[in-house]
Amino acid sequence: MTTPALQTRALVAGYEPDLPIVRGIDLSVAQGELLVLLGPNGAGKSTFVKAIAGVVPIHSGSVMLGQREITHVASHRKIGEGLAFVPQTENIFATLTIHENLQLAAAVLPKALRGERIAALYRRFPDLASKPTRLAGALSGGQRQMLAVARALIVDPSVLILDEPSAGLSPKIVGEVFSMLKEINAGGVTVILVEQNVKAAVAIANRAVILVEGRIRHEGEASSLLADPLIAKLYLGTTTQAAEAP
Ligand SMILES: Nc1ncnc2c1ncn2[C@@H]1O[C@H](COP(=O)(O)OP(=O)(O)OP(=O)(O)O)[C@@H](O)[C@H]1O
Ligand SMILES: [Mg+2]
Protein backbone atom coordinates (compact mmCIF):
# COMPACT_ATOMS: atom_id res chain seq x y z
CA MET A 1 0.00 0.00 0.00
CA THR A 2 1.28 3.48 -0.78
CA THR A 3 1.84 5.95 2.03
CA PRO A 4 -1.27 8.02 2.80
CA ALA A 5 -1.02 11.73 2.00
CA LEU A 6 -2.17 12.48 5.52
CA GLN A 7 -2.82 10.30 8.52
CA THR A 8 -3.89 10.93 12.08
CA ARG A 9 -3.53 8.29 14.76
CA ALA A 10 -5.48 8.42 18.01
CA LEU A 11 -5.54 12.18 17.73
CA VAL A 12 -6.76 13.98 20.83
CA ALA A 13 -6.91 17.76 20.71
CA GLY A 14 -8.70 20.74 22.21
CA TYR A 15 -8.41 24.29 23.39
CA GLU A 16 -7.87 23.47 27.07
CA PRO A 17 -5.52 20.73 28.31
CA ASP A 18 -8.21 18.98 30.38
CA LEU A 19 -11.00 19.34 27.83
CA PRO A 20 -10.51 17.19 24.75
CA ILE A 21 -12.79 18.13 21.85
CA VAL A 22 -11.26 15.74 19.33
CA ARG A 23 -11.38 12.43 21.16
CA GLY A 24 -9.19 9.95 19.37
CA ILE A 25 -9.45 10.18 15.61
CA ASP A 26 -7.75 7.70 13.29
CA LEU A 27 -8.05 9.00 9.78
CA SER A 28 -6.10 8.06 6.72
CA VAL A 29 -6.41 10.10 3.53
CA ALA A 30 -5.02 8.55 0.37
CA GLN A 31 -2.89 10.49 -2.08
CA GLY A 32 -5.10 12.25 -4.57
CA GLU A 33 -8.25 11.66 -2.58
CA LEU A 34 -10.96 14.27 -2.07
CA LEU A 35 -12.41 13.60 1.36
CA VAL A 36 -15.38 15.41 2.83
CA LEU A 37 -15.69 15.77 6.58
CA LEU A 38 -19.27 16.13 7.77
CA GLY A 39 -21.11 16.21 11.07
CA PRO A 40 -23.50 18.27 13.16
CA ASN A 41 -22.63 21.69 14.57
CA GLY A 42 -20.15 21.40 17.40
CA ALA A 43 -19.01 17.91 16.37
CA GLY A 44 -15.39 19.04 16.37
CA LYS A 45 -14.77 19.26 12.62
CA SER A 46 -13.06 22.65 12.78
CA THR A 47 -11.12 21.69 15.90
CA PHE A 48 -9.89 18.54 14.18
CA VAL A 49 -8.62 20.30 11.05
CA LYS A 50 -7.18 23.16 13.11
CA ALA A 51 -5.27 20.64 15.21
CA ILE A 52 -3.89 19.05 12.05
CA ALA A 53 -2.89 22.51 10.79
CA GLY A 54 -1.19 23.30 14.08
CA VAL A 55 -3.42 26.06 15.39
CA VAL A 56 -5.15 24.06 18.14
CA PRO A 57 -3.08 22.15 20.73
CA ILE A 58 -2.70 18.40 20.20
CA HIS A 59 -2.89 16.53 23.51
CA SER A 60 -1.87 13.11 22.24
CA GLY A 61 -1.69 11.00 19.12
CA SER A 62 0.08 11.87 15.90
CA VAL A 63 -0.22 13.48 12.49
CA MET A 64 1.77 12.23 9.51
CA LEU A 65 2.13 14.18 6.28
CA GLY A 66 3.29 11.56 3.83
CA GLN A 67 6.27 9.86 5.51
CA ARG A 68 6.94 12.74 7.85
CA GLU A 69 5.58 13.14 11.34
CA ILE A 70 4.37 16.72 11.79
CA THR A 71 2.37 16.40 15.02
CA HIS A 72 4.12 19.21 16.87
CA VAL A 73 5.58 21.15 13.97
CA ALA A 74 4.65 24.87 14.13
CA SER A 75 1.78 25.87 11.85
CA HIS A 76 3.87 28.06 9.51
CA ARG A 77 6.38 25.27 9.09
CA LYS A 78 3.61 22.80 8.30
CA ILE A 79 2.69 25.09 5.42
CA GLY A 80 6.29 24.95 4.29
CA GLU A 81 6.10 21.15 4.40
CA GLY A 82 3.17 21.21 1.98
CA LEU A 83 0.14 21.22 4.25
CA ALA A 84 -2.13 24.12 3.31
CA PHE A 85 -5.11 25.16 5.42
CA VAL A 86 -7.90 27.59 4.54
CA PRO A 87 -9.72 28.47 7.78
CA GLN A 88 -13.40 29.30 7.68
CA THR A 89 -12.91 32.91 8.72
CA GLU A 90 -10.09 35.40 8.53
CA ASN A 91 -8.52 33.57 5.62
CA ILE A 92 -7.57 36.78 3.81
CA PHE A 93 -6.44 40.26 4.87
CA ALA A 94 -9.40 42.47 3.97
CA THR A 95 -7.47 45.75 4.25
CA LEU A 96 -4.71 44.63 1.90
CA THR A 97 -4.82 44.31 -1.89
CA ILE A 98 -5.03 41.02 -3.75
CA HIS A 99 -1.36 41.30 -4.62
CA GLU A 100 -0.31 42.08 -1.05
CA ASN A 101 -2.33 39.08 0.15
CA LEU A 102 -0.43 36.83 -2.23
CA GLN A 103 2.91 38.40 -1.31
CA LEU A 104 2.28 37.76 2.38
CA ALA A 105 1.36 34.15 1.68
CA ALA A 106 4.50 33.79 -0.44
CA ALA A 107 6.69 34.96 2.44
CA VAL A 108 7.08 31.35 3.64
CA LEU A 109 8.89 30.55 0.37
CA PRO A 110 12.53 31.21 -0.46
CA LYS A 111 12.80 34.71 -1.97
CA ALA A 112 13.85 33.47 -5.40
CA LEU A 113 10.67 31.41 -5.77
CA ARG A 114 8.09 34.00 -4.72
CA GLY A 115 7.67 35.98 -7.94
CA GLU A 116 7.26 32.89 -10.09
CA ARG A 117 4.75 31.28 -7.73
CA ILE A 118 2.62 34.43 -7.64
CA ALA A 119 2.79 34.66 -11.44
CA ALA A 120 1.69 31.01 -11.70
CA LEU A 121 -1.32 31.72 -9.47
CA TYR A 122 -2.29 34.72 -11.57
CA ARG A 123 -2.25 32.46 -14.64
CA ARG A 124 -4.48 30.04 -12.81
CA PHE A 125 -6.87 32.69 -11.42
CA PRO A 126 -7.32 35.29 -14.16
CA ASP A 127 -10.03 36.99 -12.09
CA LEU A 128 -7.41 37.86 -9.49
CA ALA A 129 -4.83 38.79 -12.11
CA SER A 130 -7.19 41.33 -13.65
CA LYS A 131 -7.27 43.47 -10.49
CA PRO A 132 -4.19 42.94 -8.33
CA THR A 133 -4.55 46.34 -6.64
CA ARG A 134 -8.17 45.76 -5.54
CA LEU A 135 -8.62 45.58 -1.78
CA ALA A 136 -9.48 42.05 -0.74
CA GLY A 137 -12.27 43.41 1.47
CA ALA A 138 -13.99 44.83 -1.62
CA LEU A 139 -14.25 41.45 -3.35
CA SER A 140 -17.41 39.36 -3.61
CA GLY A 141 -17.73 36.31 -1.37
CA GLY A 142 -16.77 33.93 -4.16
CA GLN A 143 -13.75 35.99 -5.17
CA ARG A 144 -12.60 36.19 -1.57
CA GLN A 145 -12.78 32.43 -1.32
CA MET A 146 -10.80 32.19 -4.56
CA LEU A 147 -8.15 34.48 -3.10
CA ALA A 148 -8.03 32.42 0.10
CA VAL A 149 -7.51 29.26 -1.96
CA ALA A 150 -4.89 30.99 -4.13
CA ARG A 151 -3.02 32.00 -0.97
CA ALA A 152 -3.10 28.41 0.24
CA LEU A 153 -1.85 27.06 -3.10
CA ILE A 154 1.19 29.31 -3.17
CA VAL A 155 3.38 26.65 -1.56
CA ASP A 156 2.29 24.04 -4.08
CA PRO A 157 0.88 21.89 -1.26
CA SER A 158 0.47 18.12 -1.29
CA VAL A 159 -2.57 18.41 0.98
CA LEU A 160 -5.15 21.21 1.01
CA ILE A 161 -7.61 21.44 3.91
CA LEU A 162 -10.58 23.80 3.72
CA ASP A 163 -13.02 24.61 6.49
CA GLU A 164 -16.47 25.34 5.04
CA PRO A 165 -15.40 27.25 1.93
CA SER A 166 -19.03 27.48 0.79
CA ALA A 167 -20.30 29.28 3.91
CA GLY A 168 -22.32 32.35 2.99
CA LEU A 169 -22.07 31.84 -0.77
CA SER A 170 -24.97 31.62 -3.20
CA PRO A 171 -25.62 28.18 -4.77
CA LYS A 172 -24.18 29.30 -8.10
CA ILE A 173 -20.94 30.51 -6.51
CA VAL A 174 -20.75 27.37 -4.36
CA GLY A 175 -20.80 25.44 -7.63
CA GLU A 176 -17.92 27.53 -8.96
CA VAL A 177 -15.84 27.13 -5.80
CA PHE A 178 -16.46 23.39 -5.73
CA SER A 179 -15.53 22.90 -9.37
CA MET A 180 -12.34 24.86 -8.69
CA LEU A 181 -11.60 22.45 -5.80
CA LYS A 182 -12.34 19.46 -8.00
CA GLU A 183 -9.89 20.81 -10.57
CA ILE A 184 -7.18 21.40 -7.95
CA ASN A 185 -7.74 17.83 -6.78
CA ALA A 186 -7.56 16.51 -10.34
CA GLY A 187 -4.18 18.27 -10.57
CA GLY A 188 -2.89 15.90 -7.89
CA VAL A 189 -3.55 17.77 -4.63
CA THR A 190 -5.17 15.73 -1.86
CA VAL A 191 -8.16 17.68 -0.55
CA ILE A 192 -9.92 17.53 2.81
CA LEU A 193 -13.11 19.52 2.78
CA VAL A 194 -15.12 20.33 5.90
CA GLU A 195 -18.67 21.13 4.83
CA GLN A 196 -22.23 21.81 5.90
CA ASN A 197 -23.30 21.90 2.30
CA VAL A 198 -23.63 18.15 2.27
CA LYS A 199 -25.12 17.46 -1.12
CA ALA A 200 -22.75 19.68 -3.06
CA ALA A 201 -19.74 18.34 -1.15
CA VAL A 202 -20.69 14.69 -1.47
CA ALA A 203 -21.15 15.24 -5.19
CA ILE A 204 -17.46 16.07 -5.66
CA ALA A 205 -15.95 13.86 -2.94
CA ASN A 206 -14.60 10.31 -3.16
CA ARG A 207 -15.16 9.51 0.48
CA ALA A 208 -17.06 10.99 3.38
CA VAL A 209 -16.33 10.89 7.08
CA ILE A 210 -18.89 11.89 9.68
CA LEU A 211 -17.73 13.20 13.03
CA VAL A 212 -19.96 13.21 16.07
CA GLU A 213 -18.78 14.39 19.48
CA GLY A 214 -15.16 14.38 18.48
CA ARG A 215 -15.11 10.86 17.08
CA ILE A 216 -15.61 9.25 13.70
CA ARG A 217 -19.13 7.88 13.63
CA HIS A 218 -19.24 6.76 10.04
CA GLU A 219 -17.01 6.61 7.04
CA GLY A 220 -17.66 5.40 3.56
CA GLU A 221 -17.92 6.10 -0.09
CA ALA A 222 -19.40 9.56 -0.58
CA SER A 223 -22.01 8.43 -3.09
CA SER A 224 -23.49 5.82 -0.75
CA LEU A 225 -23.88 8.23 2.11
CA LEU A 226 -26.90 10.20 1.04
CA ALA A 227 -28.75 6.99 0.33
CA ASP A 228 -28.51 5.91 3.96
CA PRO A 229 -31.71 7.25 5.53
CA LEU A 230 -30.54 7.03 9.12
CA ILE A 231 -27.38 8.97 8.40
CA ALA A 232 -29.28 11.51 6.36
CA LYS A 233 -31.76 12.06 9.16
CA LEU A 234 -29.41 12.06 12.11
CA TYR A 235 -26.37 13.87 10.90
CA LEU A 236 -26.97 15.64 7.68
CA GLY A 237 -30.08 17.62 8.46
CA THR A 238 -31.92 16.10 5.53
CA THR A 239 -34.76 13.64 5.64
CA THR A 240 -35.79 11.07 3.14
CA GLN A 241 -39.07 9.19 2.87
CA ALA A 242 -37.45 6.06 4.21
CA ALA A 243 -36.18 7.93 7.26
CA GLU A 244 -39.67 9.16 8.00
CA ALA A 245 -41.18 5.67 7.88
CA PRO A 246 -41.98 4.12 11.31
N1 LIG B 1 -11.92 28.77 20.50
C1 LIG B 1 -12.56 27.86 21.24
N2 LIG B 1 -12.32 27.74 22.57
C2 LIG B 1 -12.95 26.80 23.31
N3 LIG B 1 -13.85 25.92 22.82
C3 LIG B 1 -14.14 25.99 21.52
C4 LIG B 1 -13.51 26.95 20.66
N4 LIG B 1 -13.99 26.76 19.40
C5 LIG B 1 -14.87 25.74 19.47
N5 LIG B 1 -14.96 25.27 20.75
C6 LIG B 1 -15.81 24.15 21.20
O1 LIG B 1 -15.36 22.96 20.59
C7 LIG B 1 -16.47 22.13 20.23
C8 LIG B 1 -16.35 21.75 18.77
O2 LIG B 1 -16.41 22.93 17.99
P1 LIG B 1 -15.99 22.96 16.47
O3 LIG B 1 -15.97 24.38 16.08
O4 LIG B 1 -14.78 22.15 16.25
O5 LIG B 1 -17.24 22.20 15.80
P2 LIG B 1 -17.66 22.09 14.27
O6 LIG B 1 -17.94 20.64 14.03
O7 LIG B 1 -16.65 22.74 13.42
O8 LIG B 1 -19.04 22.87 14.26
P3 LIG B 1 -19.67 23.82 13.12
O9 LIG B 1 -20.39 22.89 12.20
O10 LIG B 1 -20.62 24.68 13.89
O11 LIG B 1 -18.56 24.62 12.47
C9 LIG B 1 -17.73 22.92 20.57
O12 LIG B 1 -18.22 22.43 21.79
C10 LIG B 1 -17.24 24.33 20.73
O13 LIG B 1 -18.00 25.02 21.67
MG1 LIG C 1 -16.66 24.36 12.17
Side-chain angles (χ1 to χ4, degrees), residues 5 16 75 91 113 121 157 161 171 186 197 230 244-245:
E16 308 293 334
S75 60
N91 54 25
L113 272 181
L121 285 171
I161 304 179
N197 203 325
L230 181 67
E244 293 303 309

Side-chain angles (χ1 to χ4, degrees), residues 87-145:
Q88 183 176 349
T89 56
E90 291 167 32
N91 54 25
I92 55 161
F93 295 95
T95 59
L96 301 181
T97 66
I98 286 177
H99 194 69
E100 288 164 342
N101 267 277
L102 294 177
Q103 280 178 317
L104 267 186
V108 296
L109 296 170
K111 263 203 175 103
L113 272 181
R114 295 176 194 169
E116 174 43 39
R117 290 298 307 156
I118 291 176
L121 285 171
Y122 279 143
R123 287 194 293 275
R124 183 167 200 165
F125 297 96
D127 271 10
L128 300 179
S130 67
K131 48 195 169 214
T133 58
R134 177 78 59 90
L135 284 182
L139 299 174
S140 69
Q143 288 170 334
R144 278 188 191 215
Q145 218 43 268

Side-chain angles (χ1 to χ4, degrees), residues 24-40:
I25 295 187
D26 293 293
L27 179 68
S28 192
V29 189
Q31 306 213 13
E33 193 170 24
L34 198 165
L35 180 104
V36 61
L37 201 54
L38 307 168

Side-chain angles (χ1 to χ4, degrees), residues 45-46 88 163-164 194:
K45 305 179 295 294
S46 294
Q88 183 176 349
D163 194 354
E164 296 200 34
V194 174

Side-chain angles (χ1 to χ4, degrees), residues 29-63:
V29 189
Q31 306 213 13
E33 193 170 24
L34 198 165
L35 180 104
V36 61
L37 201 54
L38 307 168
N41 291 332
K45 305 179 295 294
S46 294
T47 307
F48 178 52
V49 291
K50 286 196 250 179
I52 292 171
V55 293
V56 161
I58 291 174
H59 303 172
S60 60
S62 65
V63 182

Side-chain angles (χ1 to χ4, degrees), residues 3-7 27-36 64-66 82-85 153 156-162 181-193 206-207:
T3 311
L6 185 103
Q7 188 169 34
L27 179 68
S28 192
V29 189
Q31 306 213 13
E33 193 170 24
L34 198 165
L35 180 104
V36 61
M64 301 285 295
L65 182 69
L83 176 69
F85 175 52
L153 290 180
D156 207 3
S158 57
V159 176
L160 173 64
I161 304 179
L162 306 106
L181 296 179
K182 189 77 189 161
E183 227 177 274
I184 290 166
N185 176 244
V189 181
T190 302
V191 175
I192 300 172
L193 179 60
N206 308 121
R207 195 155 60 96

